[in-house]
Amino acid sequence: MQNESWYSLKNHEEVISPSLLVYPDRIQHNIELMISMTGDVNRLRPHVKTYKNANIINMQMARGIKKFKCATIAEAELLGNCNAPDILLAMQPIGPNAQRYIELTKKYPNLKFSTIVDNETMLSILGELAEANDVKIHLWVDINNGMNRTGIAPDKKALELYIQLYNHPHLVAEGLHVYDGHLRNTDSKIREAECSTAFEEVELLKKSIEDQDIPSPKIVAGGSPTFPFHCKRKNVESSPGTTLLWDIGYGAQFPEMNFLPAAVLLTRILSKPTTGILCFDLGHKSIAPEMPFPRIEFLDLEHSNQISQSEEHLVVEYDDLTIPEVGDVHYAIPKHICPTVAKYDTLTVVKDGAIIDHWKVTARTHKLTI
């Protein structure tokens, strides 16, 4: 018999597998927790890359959240369709994406758009594009404070870039964008100390900008792991993303954060090919495959050991084959929710064990209309 737990469906027979289930009550809990930790919705700028869905955006806007961050033009267009007032594209728009960004701002003239830049070449390209299209492009200087993925180090060159941005006739200086996703120590005290140390250089850069008689730059900082620390900074917008749906990856690393898993995979046993082996219909195409095993945590199957995965299959060692049968439904939380969501066209919405809706993962594609 199906375990009567928060994640269980009463009529799972009608649900295809694999499916990704979401639970609005738990999402709402996570939204309320983000707000209570920050104390001011005006200092929240949640990232939409985790869920890529209008319904979850609207749930946040209903609680007064007006600022959002995104990673793609499609996500930015989704936010535009939701009439989100303030949209930051936190990905430097290179190649054709630069013109797409211009078209995006023209499509939604009543909304505020901004994006990031981390070098003089792109600053010049965006400036010329703004002039040619008779628009102003709002830019944040993307700062590298230790992750070494994107950004410019917060030193003299960053100051010079910001001054150049501020003085450009067709560009508007918004502030500094700082993502410190490399800070993931499981000890919250150590993680907080590392976050503060990495942020000191950003504060020095801010002071150097102010010393040039330039208005004090705004700052957008952090992701989910450093959200508990940046959310306490009164003059900083914090930008968590995974906090909306959560997963076992962050749940295991940061249990003190108290966010609830709000997305669950429904899967079925596909085969029992030999003694001690179960095969589930949960392959690379259904969950994020970049993590080491275990890539999911079963909620209703103890003592299992994930040993291999292919495009359609997940193979698991299990010590009691008298219970599971081919076709049985099981539930699991992914280790990495963000790329897992991107594998599904829709989210199956569950409340009190019943399916109440299907939410489209609109921005899982690279292009909507722009």
Side-chain angles (χ1 to χ4, degrees):
M1 177 178 288
Q2 196 62 245
N3 184 24
E4 293 298 328
S5 300
W6 64 267
Y7 52 82
S8 298
L9 287 179
K10 296 174 182 175
N11 298 311
H12 59 74
E13 299 88 355
E14 302 171 3
V15 182
I16 64 171
S17 58
S19 285
L20 187 59
L21 316 178
V22 293
Y23 303 76
D25 292 346
R26 288 181 156 244
I27 296 173
Q28 193 66 48
H29 165 89
N30 293 341
I31 293 171
E32 299 301 332
L33 183 53
M34 288 193 311
I35 293 173
S36 66
M37 289 173 67
T38 308
D40 180 0
V41 292
N42 293 312
R43 289 192 291 108
L44 265 175
R45 189 184 285 274
H47 207 310
V48 307
K49 70 186 177 86
T50 298
Y51 49 88
K52 305 174 186 288
N53 164 261
N55 304 79
I56 299 176
I57 292 170
N58 290 333
M59 289 176 70
Q60 294 172 86
M61 290 178 62
R63 289 294 288 117
I65 297 172
K66 299 178 180 178
K67 301 173 184 177
F68 294 89
K69 193 162 86 166
C70 61
T72 68
I73 298 292
E75 291 171 3
E77 187 173 356
L78 169 63
L79 284 162
N81 290 336
C82 292
N83 289 313
D86 190 329
I87 302 164
L88 166 57
L89 175 66
M91 185 77 74
Q92 193 161 228
I94 58 173
N97 282 342
Q99 184 60 46
R100 290 178 71 202
Y101 176 79
I102 295 292
E103 297 306 314
L104 180 72
T105 63
K106 289 181 177 181
K107 182 175 180 178
Y108 305 98
N110 296 323
L111 305 180
K112 180 179 179 181
F113 286 90
S114 58
T115 187
I116 63 172
V117 67
D118 68 3
N119 64 87
E120 292 185 2
T121 299
M122 277 307 302
L123 187 76
S124 177
I125 290 172
L126 293 173
E128 292 172 2
L129 200 57
E131 181 179 13
N133 286 270
D134 193 26
V135 298
K136 297 272 190 178
I137 297 181
H138 294 247
L139 291 174
W140 305 73
V141 171
D142 188 29
I143 299 299
N144 174 17
N145 71 331
M147 190 170 185
N148 297 328
R149 185 175 71 178
T150 67
I152 183 172
D155 54 19
K156 183 179 179 182
K157 287 186 177 180
L159 174 61
E160 292 171 351
L161 182 64
Y162 199 90
I163 293 172
Q164 186 177 345
L165 166 60
Y166 177 74
N167 290 325
H168 198 289
H170 302 285
L171 303 175
V172 178
E174 285 288 328
L176 307 174
H177 174 263
V178 187
Y179 181 62
D180 50 12
H182 60 296
L183 302 178
R184 300 189 177 199
N185 196 294
T186 55
D187 186 317
S188 61
K189 292 183 179 179
I190 295 176
R191 192 166 75 255
E192 182 174 16
E194 291 175 343
C195 178
S196 297
T197 298
F199 198 69
E200 286 175 1
E201 290 185 298
V202 178
E203 292 176 316
L204 290 173
L205 175 59
K206 177 183 177 183
K207 179 65 167 55
S208 297
I209 292 170
E210 294 168 343
D211 289 344
Q212 302 297 315
D213 291 326
I214 294 175
S216 182
K218 293 179 288 185
I219 299 176
V220 175
S224 296
T226 55
F227 171 61
F229 320 125
H230 289 304
C231 73
K232 299 174 185 176
R233 306 184 197 278
K234 297 304 180 184
N235 297 313
V236 170
E237 296 175 7
S238 52
S239 54
T242 306
T243 49
L244 275 300
L245 294 182
W246 213 229
D247 55 29
I248 62 160
Y250 278 179
Q253 292 180 71
F254 318 121
E256 78 283 353
M257 291 176 67
N258 296 318
F259 290 97
L260 297 178
V264 173
L265 291 157
L266 182 148
T267 182
R268 286 184 171 88
I269 297 175
L270 185 66
S271 180
K272 296 169 63 175
T274 189
T275 303
I277 297 294
L278 300 176
C279 180
F280 291 85
D281 56 356
L282 205 58
H284 293 155
K285 296 176 182 177
S286 306
I287 62 174
E290 85 282 9
M291 294 291 186
F293 292 126
R295 291 172 181 162
I296 57 172
E297 179 180 284
F298 281 105
L299 293 170
D300 55 359
L301 191 69
E302 298 180 356
H303 314 302
S304 62
N305 179 36
Q306 298 159 45
I307 58 174
S308 71
Q309 192 180 31
S310 55
E311 292 189 9
E312 311 292 351
H313 308 85
L314 174 67
V315 179
V316 172
E317 289 180 333
Y318 191 59
D319 60 6
D320 185 0
L321 291 189
T322 63
I323 300 175
E325 296 294 341
V326 171
D328 281 356
V329 167
H330 289 277
Y331 300 87
I333 299 175
K335 191 170 187 177
H336 194 185
I337 187 60
C338 304
T340 297
V341 170
K343 295 179 179 293
Y344 291 85
D345 292 319
T346 58
L347 306 173
T348 301
V349 186
V350 181
K351 186 171 184 179
D352 298 327
I355 297 172
I356 61 170
D357 205 352
H358 293 87
W359 292 348
K360 187 172 178 58
V361 187
T362 307
R364 70 183 294 262
T365 180
H366 289 289
K367 180 179 179 181
L368 300 185
T369 67
I370 297 173

PDB file of all heavy atoms in Angstrom, residues 102 125-137 168 170-171:
ATOM      1  N   ILE A 102      17.867  43.962 -26.634  1.00  0.00           N
ATOM      2  CA  ILE A 102      17.274  45.228 -27.054  1.00  0.00           C
ATOM      3  C   ILE A 102      15.800  45.024 -27.419  1.00  0.00           C
ATOM      4  O   ILE A 102      14.913  45.797 -27.009  1.00  0.00           O
ATOM      5  CB  ILE A 102      18.035  45.829 -28.247  1.00  0.00           C
ATOM      6  CG1 ILE A 102      19.466  46.217 -27.835  1.00  0.00           C
ATOM      7  CG2 ILE A 102      17.295  47.040 -28.806  1.00  0.00           C
ATOM      8  CD1 ILE A 102      19.555  47.358 -26.866  1.00  0.00           C
ATOM      9  N   ILE A 125      30.400  47.499 -27.116  1.00  0.00           N
ATOM     10  CA  ILE A 125      29.404  46.900 -28.019  1.00  0.00           C
ATOM     11  C   ILE A 125      27.996  47.273 -27.577  1.00  0.00           C
ATOM     12  O   ILE A 125      27.157  47.674 -28.393  1.00  0.00           O
ATOM     13  CB  ILE A 125      29.576  45.371 -28.064  1.00  0.00           C
ATOM     14  CG1 ILE A 125      30.869  45.001 -28.795  1.00  0.00           C
ATOM     15  CG2 ILE A 125      28.372  44.703 -28.729  1.00  0.00           C
ATOM     16  CD1 ILE A 125      31.218  43.531 -28.713  1.00  0.00           C
ATOM     17  N   LEU A 126      27.725  47.153 -26.298  1.00  0.00           N
ATOM     18  CA  LEU A 126      26.389  47.476 -25.794  1.00  0.00           C
ATOM     19  C   LEU A 126      26.102  48.972 -25.906  1.00  0.00           C
ATOM     20  O   LEU A 126      24.965  49.379 -26.177  1.00  0.00           O
ATOM     21  CB  LEU A 126      26.254  47.005 -24.340  1.00  0.00           C
ATOM     22  CG  LEU A 126      26.271  45.484 -24.146  1.00  0.00           C
ATOM     23  CD1 LEU A 126      26.293  45.122 -22.668  1.00  0.00           C
ATOM     24  CD2 LEU A 126      25.071  44.834 -24.829  1.00  0.00           C
ATOM     25  N   GLY A 127      27.140  49.792 -25.722  1.00  0.00           N
ATOM     26  CA  GLY A 127      26.961  51.228 -25.874  1.00  0.00           C
ATOM     27  C   GLY A 127      26.601  51.609 -27.303  1.00  0.00           C
ATOM     28  O   GLY A 127      25.704  52.420 -27.540  1.00  0.00           O
ATOM     29  N   GLU A 128      27.289  50.990 -28.266  1.00  0.00           N
ATOM     30  CA  GLU A 128      26.995  51.254 -29.679  1.00  0.00           C
ATOM     31  C   GLU A 128      25.601  50.750 -30.051  1.00  0.00           C
ATOM     32  O   GLU A 128      24.868  51.399 -30.809  1.00  0.00           O
ATOM     33  CB  GLU A 128      28.047  50.575 -30.556  1.00  0.00           C
ATOM     34  CG  GLU A 128      29.441  51.182 -30.441  1.00  0.00           C
ATOM     35  CD  GLU A 128      30.499  50.374 -31.172  1.00  0.00           C
ATOM     36  OE1 GLU A 128      30.115  49.349 -31.796  1.00  0.00           O
ATOM     37  OE2 GLU A 128      31.687  50.735 -31.106  1.00  0.00           O
ATOM     38  N   LEU A 129      25.220  49.625 -29.502  1.00  0.00           N
ATOM     39  CA  LEU A 129      23.897  49.064 -29.757  1.00  0.00           C
ATOM     40  C   LEU A 129      22.806  49.960 -29.179  1.00  0.00           C
ATOM     41  O   LEU A 129      21.757  50.183 -29.811  1.00  0.00           O
ATOM     42  CB  LEU A 129      23.812  47.662 -29.152  1.00  0.00           C
ATOM     43  CG  LEU A 129      22.735  46.712 -29.666  1.00  0.00           C
ATOM     44  CD1 LEU A 129      22.856  46.510 -31.169  1.00  0.00           C
ATOM     45  CD2 LEU A 129      22.839  45.379 -28.943  1.00  0.00           C
ATOM     46  N   ALA A 130      23.052  50.480 -27.984  1.00  0.00           N
ATOM     47  CA  ALA A 130      22.083  51.387 -27.366  1.00  0.00           C
ATOM     48  C   ALA A 130      21.919  52.653 -28.201  1.00  0.00           C
ATOM     49  O   ALA A 130      20.796  53.113 -28.439  1.00  0.00           O
ATOM     50  CB  ALA A 130      22.539  51.740 -25.950  1.00  0.00           C
ATOM     51  N   GLU A 131      23.022  53.198 -28.688  1.00  0.00           N
ATOM     52  CA  GLU A 131      22.962  54.408 -29.516  1.00  0.00           C
ATOM     53  C   GLU A 131      22.223  54.146 -30.821  1.00  0.00           C
ATOM     54  O   GLU A 131      21.359  54.927 -31.237  1.00  0.00           O
ATOM     55  CB  GLU A 131      24.374  54.908 -29.801  1.00  0.00           C
ATOM     56  CG  GLU A 131      24.397  56.187 -30.636  1.00  0.00           C
ATOM     57  CD  GLU A 131      25.797  56.696 -30.887  1.00  0.00           C
ATOM     58  OE1 GLU A 131      26.767  55.948 -30.636  1.00  0.00           O
ATOM     59  OE2 GLU A 131      25.926  57.849 -31.371  1.00  0.00           O
ATOM     60  N   ALA A 132      22.527  53.018 -31.460  1.00  0.00           N
ATOM     61  CA  ALA A 132      21.898  52.688 -32.744  1.00  0.00           C
ATOM     62  C   ALA A 132      20.403  52.481 -32.617  1.00  0.00           C
ATOM     63  O   ALA A 132      19.644  52.740 -33.559  1.00  0.00           O
ATOM     64  CB  ALA A 132      22.562  51.439 -33.333  1.00  0.00           C
ATOM     65  N   ASN A 133      19.959  52.026 -31.440  1.00  0.00           N
ATOM     66  CA  ASN A 133      18.533  51.754 -31.224  1.00  0.00           C
ATOM     67  C   ASN A 133      17.834  52.858 -30.434  1.00  0.00           C
ATOM     68  O   ASN A 133      16.655  52.727 -30.104  1.00  0.00           O
ATOM     69  CB  ASN A 133      18.364  50.422 -30.501  1.00  0.00           C
ATOM     70  CG  ASN A 133      18.624  49.236 -31.388  1.00  0.00           C
ATOM     71  OD1 ASN A 133      17.721  48.709 -32.032  1.00  0.00           O
ATOM     72  ND2 ASN A 133      19.883  48.784 -31.446  1.00  0.00           N
ATOM     73  N   ASP A 134      18.588  53.928 -30.144  1.00  0.00           N
ATOM     74  CA  ASP A 134      18.033  55.076 -29.422  1.00  0.00           C
ATOM     75  C   ASP A 134      17.392  54.651 -28.094  1.00  0.00           C
ATOM     76  O   ASP A 134      16.268  55.008 -27.780  1.00  0.00           O
ATOM     77  CB  ASP A 134      17.011  55.818 -30.286  1.00  0.00           C
ATOM     78  CG  ASP A 134      16.655  57.194 -29.710  1.00  0.00           C
ATOM     79  OD1 ASP A 134      17.494  57.765 -28.994  1.00  0.00           O
ATOM     80  OD2 ASP A 134      15.535  57.677 -29.968  1.00  0.00           O
ATOM     81  N   VAL A 135      18.137  53.836 -27.338  1.00  0.00           N
ATOM     82  CA  VAL A 135      17.674  53.394 -26.021  1.00  0.00           C
ATOM     83  C   VAL A 135      18.811  53.553 -25.017  1.00  0.00           C
ATOM     84  O   VAL A 135      19.967  53.760 -25.389  1.00  0.00           O
ATOM     85  CB  VAL A 135      17.209  51.921 -26.039  1.00  0.00           C
ATOM     86  CG1 VAL A 135      16.031  51.738 -26.977  1.00  0.00           C
ATOM     87  CG2 VAL A 135      18.363  50.985 -26.400  1.00  0.00           C
ATOM     88  N   LYS A 136      18.450  53.460 -23.757  1.00  0.00           N
ATOM     89  CA  LYS A 136      19.445  53.405 -22.684  1.00  0.00           C
ATOM     90  C   LYS A 136      19.493  51.968 -22.168  1.00  0.00           C
ATOM     91  O   LYS A 136      18.459  51.366 -21.893  1.00  0.00           O
ATOM     92  CB  LYS A 136      19.054  54.346 -21.538  1.00  0.00           C
ATOM     93  CG  LYS A 136      19.014  55.817 -21.907  1.00  0.00           C
ATOM     94  CD  LYS A 136      20.368  56.459 -21.729  1.00  0.00           C
ATOM     95  CE  LYS A 136      20.261  57.979 -21.861  1.00  0.00           C
ATOM     96  NZ  LYS A 136      21.561  58.636 -21.649  1.00  0.00           N
ATOM     97  N   ILE A 137      20.684  51.418 -22.037  1.00  0.00           N
ATOM     98  CA  ILE A 137      20.842  50.076 -21.482  1.00  0.00           C
ATOM     99  C   ILE A 137      21.347  50.213 -20.046  1.00  0.00           C
ATOM    100  O   ILE A 137      22.380  50.842 -19.797  1.00  0.00           O
ATOM    101  CB  ILE A 137      21.808  49.227 -22.309  1.00  0.00           C
ATOM    102  CG1 ILE A 137      21.265  49.016 -23.725  1.00  0.00           C
ATOM    103  CG2 ILE A 137      22.048  47.873 -21.637  1.00  0.00           C
ATOM    104  CD1 ILE A 137      22.156  48.165 -24.609  1.00  0.00           C
ATOM    105  N   HIS A 168      29.180  56.957 -19.774  1.00  0.00           N
ATOM    106  CA  HIS A 168      28.734  56.660 -21.140  1.00  0.00           C
ATOM    107  C   HIS A 168      27.356  57.293 -21.377  1.00  0.00           C
ATOM    108  O   HIS A 168      26.436  57.115 -20.577  1.00  0.00           O
ATOM    109  CB  HIS A 168      28.660  55.146 -21.354  1.00  0.00           C
ATOM    110  CG  HIS A 168      28.634  54.761 -22.800  1.00  0.00           C
ATOM    111  ND1 HIS A 168      27.534  54.979 -23.628  1.00  0.00           N
ATOM    112  CD2 HIS A 168      29.579  54.165 -23.576  1.00  0.00           C
ATOM    113  CE1 HIS A 168      27.799  54.536 -24.827  1.00  0.00           C
ATOM    114  NE2 HIS A 168      29.038  54.040 -24.844  1.00  0.00           N
ATOM    115  N   HIS A 170      24.971  56.567 -23.366  1.00  0.00           N
ATOM    116  CA  HIS A 170      23.858  55.690 -23.744  1.00  0.00           C
ATOM    117  C   HIS A 170      23.682  54.497 -22.799  1.00  0.00           C
ATOM    118  O   HIS A 170      22.870  53.616 -23.062  1.00  0.00           O
ATOM    119  CB  HIS A 170      24.060  55.187 -25.179  1.00  0.00           C
ATOM    120  CG  HIS A 170      24.159  56.292 -26.175  1.00  0.00           C
ATOM    121  ND1 HIS A 170      23.072  57.020 -26.609  1.00  0.00           N
ATOM    122  CD2 HIS A 170      25.250  56.826 -26.797  1.00  0.00           C
ATOM    123  CE1 HIS A 170      23.460  57.936 -27.473  1.00  0.00           C
ATOM    124  NE2 HIS A 170      24.782  57.845 -27.609  1.00  0.00           N
ATOM    125  N   LEU A 171      24.456  54.498 -21.710  1.00  0.00           N
ATOM    126  CA  LEU A 171      24.380  53.427 -20.731  1.00  0.00           C
ATOM    127  C   LEU A 171      24.063  54.010 -19.358  1.00  0.00           C
ATOM    128  O   LEU A 171      24.392  55.155 -19.078  1.00  0.00           O
ATOM    129  CB  LEU A 171      25.689  52.635 -20.679  1.00  0.00           C
ATOM    130  CG  LEU A 171      26.163  52.014 -21.997  1.00  0.00           C
ATOM    131  CD1 LEU A 171      27.543  51.374 -21.820  1.00  0.00           C
ATOM    132  CD2 LEU A 171      25.154  50.976 -22.499  1.00  0.00           C
TER     133      LEU A 171
END
